[in-house]
Amino acid sequence: MLKAAARMPDVRGKLTAGRSLSELTWLRVGGPADWLFQPADLEDLQLFLRELDPQVEIFPMGVGSNLIVRDGGLRAVVIRLGRGFNSIDIDGSRVTAGAAALDAHVARKAADAGVDLTFLRTIPGSIGGAVRMNAGCYGSYTADVFRSARAVTRDGQVVTLTATDLNFRYRQSDLPDGAVISEVTLEGPKGDPATLHARMDEQLAKRDQTQPTKDLSAGSTFRNPAGFSSTGQADDVHDLKAWKLIDEAGLRGHTHGGAQMSEKHPNFLINTGGATADDLESLGEEVRKKVYDSSGITLEWEIKRVGEPAAE
Ligand SMILES: Cc1cc2nc3c(=O)[nH]c(=O)nc-3n(C[C@H](O)[C@H](O)[C@H](O)COP(=O)(O)OP(=O)(O)OC[C@H]3O[C@@H](n4cnc5c(N)ncnc54)[C@H](O)[C@@H]3O)c2cc1C
């Protein structure tokens, strides 16, 4: 176990020992990280990783919209990028964003400049998290618009990563162990700004109609077994959609402690108020078992679960 007293490099950013992660995740659960590091800028991040004992694990975190951090927390240094990694620059149809920039901000700024990254508007994560998860919706994926990423490796080197390096798959990509994405370049088709903004407004309204956007969640709990995002189109095929399998197994609205499979969208696991990470994960595992019993299909988690359970 990493001790809070372990020697940490001198940094310009903020280092906090024993920081609770529950306020930093969308589901509002999770025990403490041994350390939380919020680097001031790229050089600060490089220096930190270069000087940190190579045995110490690091965990890069975006805005925690796809995470269950377990109740015992993380025996690692959690690295969370902030203000020094928020820039958004546009050159023609290319958009380069710091990894901490929110997907919604990137989509809006791109639309102002007539670049279509509209699918990112309703995804609540950061651009670093979008690359890591190959986030997507309405039939588009981050991989479709990805050009390159800059990352800092565990030993503090800055490297450029291509789509081949990242090997994008449905809701997954490969990243060298311990690397932190610091900047991402995307390229979208050109479009009329007013049309792009109108499309984003429509997509926001559609989300509010079909998903529990006001509840605490981490988006889709399980991947669709067919390996595709919902397109949101009227002719979308619902076979092998995770929500359909959960619904058919009678688990819409099912609860465990403070955790619930949403009544509105049964593939959304929600914290109804006092849920622990254990309530959420146990409910998810129960759903996986019951869906398997009723359909023979094994649901795979899309939400990443990290850290340790609470000590007995
Ligand atoms: C209401 C709601 C709706 C959602 N809808 C969608 C949707 O339509 N489509 C979709 O794909 N997802 C959706 N999600 C899930 C989530 O928003 C995405 O997976 C998002 O890309 C996660 O980004 P994040 O910054 O929150 O990453 P986190 O949840 O913080 O982390 C996710 C993973 O990315 C890694 N990571 C994050 N930042 C970095 C970095 N800078 N360097 C290296 N690794 C990093 C983390 O280590 C972790 O493995 C939804 C979530 C919510 C709450």
Side-chain angles (χ1 to χ4, degrees):
M1 175 178 166
L2 174 62
K3 294 276 184 299
R7 192 195 157 275
M8 288 287 120
D10 289 331
V11 289
R12 283 178 290 117
K14 193 170 172 199
L15 257 171
T16 315
R19 173 69 155 86
S20 162
L21 295 174
S22 61
E23 304 110 69
L24 302 181
T25 60
W26 272 62
L27 278 164
R28 292 287 181 271
V29 295
D34 283 344
W35 289 90
L36 177 74
F37 177 44
Q38 296 160 281
D41 53 28
L42 184 70
E43 289 70 34
D44 200 33
L45 175 59
Q46 278 189 270
L47 175 140
F48 178 80
L49 289 173
R50 203 163 45 228
E51 294 192 0
L52 181 68
D53 177 348
Q55 304 295 320
V56 174
E57 285 220 18
I58 66 122
F59 180 78
M61 178 173 174
V63 293
S65 64
N66 200 50
L67 289 180
I68 293 177
V69 176
R70 297 194 178 99
D71 300 309
L74 267 164
R75 303 294 70 80
V77 178
V78 169
I79 298 184
R80 196 166 192 267
L81 307 182
R83 266 198 295 279
F85 299 84
N86 264 340
S87 60
I88 303 173
D89 296 304
I90 302 181
D91 179 10
S93 53
R94 289 205 169 211
V95 178
T96 298
L102 293 177
D103 298 349
H105 292 172
V106 173
R108 280 205 303 258
K109 267 202 116 172
D112 290 344
V115 181
D116 183 354
L117 297 177
T118 47
F119 76 95
L120 288 171
R121 174 63 186 88
T122 57
I123 303 177
S126 66
I127 283 293
V131 169
R132 181 70 171 110
M133 297 304 302
N134 189 15
C137 58
Y138 305 124
S140 298
Y141 300 85
T142 303
D144 301 338
V145 294
F146 178 87
R147 290 297 166 266
S148 65
R150 193 151 71 149
V152 184
T153 57
R154 180 60 185 81
D155 61 357
Q157 307 289 319
V158 176
V159 293
T160 299
L161 300 171
T162 63
T164 310
D165 296 324
L166 285 160
N167 186 24
F168 288 112
R169 277 114 51 223
Y170 175 59
R171 297 292 186 265
Q172 305 179 61
S173 67
D174 293 338
L175 195 63
D177 259 0
V180 181
I181 298 168
S182 58
E183 189 182 271
V184 174
T185 299
L186 307 174
E187 184 166 8
K190 293 296 267 180
D192 164 52
T195 310
L196 299 177
H197 279 287
R199 185 181 308 152
M200 293 192 291
D201 290 344
E202 264 171 42
Q203 290 177 345
L204 281 172
K206 194 178 290 173
R207 283 264 180 179
D208 286 339
Q209 259 170 30
T210 57
Q211 297 181 0
T213 48
K214 307 280 181 284
D215 290 320
L216 303 177
S217 84
S220 297
T221 307
F222 303 108
R223 296 177 193 166
N224 286 325
F228 299 104
S229 296
S230 298
T231 61
Q233 305 297 322
D235 61 353
D236 199 1
V237 179
H238 291 309
D239 297 347
L240 293 182
K241 288 275 157 44
W243 74 263
K244 190 92 194 307
L245 296 169
I246 296 167
D247 205 16
E248 284 169 357
L251 297 166
R252 183 188 284 262
H254 194 60
T255 60
H256 179 99
Q260 184 181 33
M261 299 315 292
S262 163
E263 290 279 1
K264 196 165 182 183
H265 190 306
N267 193 26
F268 274 57
L269 179 57
I270 60 179
N271 177 355
T272 59
T276 60
D278 187 59
D279 289 341
L280 293 160
E281 194 170 9
S282 301
L283 177 57
E285 287 301 332
E286 183 188 341
V287 167
R288 290 181 75 223
K289 182 173 181 311
K290 290 191 168 156
V291 165
Y292 181 78
D293 290 345
S294 67
S295 68
I297 291 170
T298 304
L299 290 175
E300 302 290 343
W301 283 90
E302 180 167 323
I303 299 176
K304 286 191 177 270
R305 290 142 305 121
V306 297
E308 303 182 342
E312 290 291 307

